[in-house]
Amino acid sequence: MPPAEASAAHHAPAQTATPASTPPPAEAAAAHHAPAAPTSARPGQRQGQGQGPLRGLRVLDLATLFAGPLAATLLGDFGADVVKVEHPAVPDPSRGHGPAKDGIGLWWKLLGRNKRTITLDLSTPGGRDTLLRLAATADVVVENFRPGTLEKWGLGWPELSAANPRLILARVTAFGQQGPYAHRPGFGTLAEAMSGFAAVTGEPEGPPTLPPFGLADSIAALTCAYAVMTALAGRDRTGHGQVVDLAIIEPILTVLGPQPLWYDQLGHVQPRTGNRSANNAPRNTYRSADGRWLAVSASAQSIAERVMRLVGRPELISEPWFATGAGRARHADVIDDAVGGWIARHKAEEVVCAFEDAEAAVAPVYDVRDVMTDPQFAALDTVTEVEDPELGPLRMQNILFRLSETPGGIRWAGRPHGADTTEVLAELGLTGAEITALRSEGAL
């Protein structure tokens, strides 16, 4: 879903840029501190706990829909000062993506959390100069324009690294910065298709199946956040920054497992198997007597044996083919008949309790309503409450993991378009008259 294209909606067409004003020295980056949360944000459950281990790190988020911005969100969740840069006239498309309440996009509340928002037209001379001044105070810039777009505006790596030799530039695109497809527009959907994910997803006789959410983008976002931290660790050793070149088509290919290795060594092409696995059984979804769906997995031999005893088919354990996951998978019809038949005679709660007693693996198939009420998610505070000045209390996914000594937290939900422009530019040392001039120019 996220564009790797030049975010045509994000910035106006490039204009001839005048020479940049002299930015503050790169050393200024070491002196800046992440600001406190906007005064309008009040603490909610786990909101604002600790300052996070990334406090003092500044990230400029120039990206849109969805991999780049989500990577910046993940950094902000652990204390980074994330400054979201949006076009003055065309806000980030995620503000209008999906359902809205009172005209306010809800997806943005999640994607924009822990970010200060400013407006800046990078294609104008004033916008370019201001971005270079911001870059001089930053540690990381995240962008997802098509290759060559920043260069067209005079904001390529030579200019950015000259403004701040310690800067990390994370470039997130569909196809990477080089190769025959580099300049093509692209979205995560293309990565889900080209990586092989869609080819192995779906029923055996059905069509290739795409996920109903931004899977490739989300995997790329996690990878980008990891790549940024890796590059920052490298900076600690070398003293200078570097470029992260991340193609959305690659991380999803990695999480698909050893398919290239299998093909290279054996000529094996993984087929679509629906909910079944070619490597073990039982592995499927089964419907209970009260109409609930449950997922069963038995990757370990001991679990498979426990399931067979539980469902009253212990004789299958002695079959020669039962001794390996692949052998069980080849006899999945027999195993599914045994497991599915037993589950169909019991209510879902009875199934879960029986599997738990047998120390076998089962889980009910949830939709979001179940997630919101499940006691395990509640114990982890997986879906937490955040107080928002625009919409009041919001419930959204919490930060990804818990740190015992330096916890992260949600300091505020996504802010209004350009809400922090004056504050951020004033921190750069711009006077009120300079900010007004930039607005008059159309740069803000």
Side-chain angles (χ1 to χ4, degrees):
M1 290 170 60
E5 58 182 287
S7 192
H10 190 70
H11 290 287
Q15 300 176 9
T16 303
T18 57
S21 57
T22 303
E27 290 77 9
H32 84 80
H33 296 284
T39 55
S40 57
R42 302 199 307 273
Q45 187 177 7
R46 287 188 60 179
Q47 192 171 0
Q49 280 194 356
Q51 297 296 335
L54 300 185
R55 178 174 170 79
L57 191 78
R58 172 168 283 184
V59 178
L60 304 183
D61 175 9
L62 312 185
T64 59
L65 299 175
F66 286 100
L70 180 55
T73 301
L74 299 177
L75 299 173
D77 285 349
F78 286 91
D81 172 26
V82 180
V83 178
K84 174 70 177 181
V85 179
E86 299 175 80
H87 188 274
V90 186
D92 188 311
S94 67
R95 291 182 180 272
H97 229 73
K101 180 181 179 183
D102 299 335
I104 299 170
L106 297 177
W107 202 330
W108 168 251
K109 288 297 179 182
L110 175 67
L111 193 63
R113 73 186 189 191
N114 293 333
K115 298 179 183 181
R116 295 193 290 169
T117 63
I118 72 170
T119 58
L120 203 60
D121 185 345
L122 302 185
S123 70
T124 64
R128 172 188 181 273
D129 294 352
T130 303
L131 193 281
L132 288 173
R133 294 185 66 173
L134 278 168
T137 71
D139 299 282
V140 180
V141 172
V142 181
E143 64 98 0
N144 71 335
F145 303 110
R146 269 190 267 182
T149 302
L150 283 184
E151 287 77 6
K152 178 175 62 177
W153 293 330
L155 289 169
W157 178 238
E159 291 84 1
L160 290 170
S161 61
N164 182 354
R166 291 174 55 81
L167 187 69
I168 305 299
L169 175 61
R171 316 195 77 168
V172 185
T173 58
F175 304 110
Q177 296 294 311
Q178 59 186 359
Y181 304 159
H183 290 273
R184 289 184 182 178
F187 298 84
T189 298
L190 276 60
E192 289 146 9
M194 293 179 62
S195 64
F197 171 85
V200 299
T201 305
E203 294 300 322
E205 303 305 321
T209 302
L210 296 167
F213 62 97
L215 177 63
D217 288 305
S218 300
I219 297 171
L222 292 164
T223 306
C224 182
Y226 165 62
V228 165
M229 297 308 299
T230 302
L232 289 169
R235 187 182 73 175
D236 289 344
R237 296 187 178 190
T238 67
H240 54 80
Q242 60 183 301
V243 176
V244 172
D245 176 9
L246 191 151
I248 296 174
I249 58 174
E250 292 183 304
I252 188 172
L253 179 59
T254 295
V255 303
L256 283 172
Q259 290 188 37
L261 180 60
W262 288 341
Y263 181 75
D264 176 65
Q265 295 296 302
L266 302 172
H268 174 72
V269 178
Q270 182 174 329
R272 286 192 290 282
T273 58
N275 289 326
R276 289 179 172 177
S277 168
N279 303 309
N280 68 82
R283 201 269 193 179
N284 212 332
T285 58
Y286 309 92
R287 201 165 194 174
S288 65
D290 52 350
R292 297 292 304 274
W293 287 96
L294 299 108
V296 174
S297 177
S299 296
Q301 180 70 21
S302 60
I303 300 295
E305 293 177 4
R306 290 171 193 166
V307 172
M308 289 304 101
R309 294 188 184 100
L310 171 63
V311 302
R313 296 295 303 274
E315 75 280 3
L316 294 179
I317 298 173
S318 60
E319 294 286 347
W321 50 261
F322 197 90
T324 66
R328 295 195 304 275
R330 287 193 296 269
H331 292 79
D333 287 343
V334 175
I335 292 178
D336 278 350
D337 181 66
V339 177
W342 185 88
I343 290 177
R345 298 191 297 271
H346 297 80
K347 293 183 178 180
E349 185 176 353
E350 296 170 344
V351 173
V352 172
C353 290
F355 267 71
E356 185 172 346
D357 289 343
E359 298 184 351
V362 70
V365 176
Y366 280 176
D367 64 21
V368 67
R369 294 168 294 187
D370 303 303
V371 170
M372 300 291 272
T373 58
D374 181 84
Q376 182 60 37
F377 284 130
L380 296 174
D381 196 25
T382 304
V383 179
T384 196
E385 185 173 285
V386 179
E387 189 68 28
D388 181 66
E390 291 186 288
L391 296 176
L394 305 173
R395 295 181 71 193
M396 66 173 65
Q397 298 97 316
N398 211 331
I399 59 177
L400 283 178
F401 49 85
R402 290 157 289 279
L403 297 178
S404 62
E405 299 299 324
T406 55
I410 302 172
R411 303 186 296 283
W412 60 84
R415 306 261 293 148
H417 182 227
D420 306 292
T421 302
T422 299
E423 175 187 76
V424 171
L425 297 189
E427 290 171 4
L428 282 180
L430 273 71
T431 66
E434 289 174 312
I435 295 173
T436 298
L438 287 171
R439 292 192 188 281
S440 298
E441 179 191 331
L444 303 182

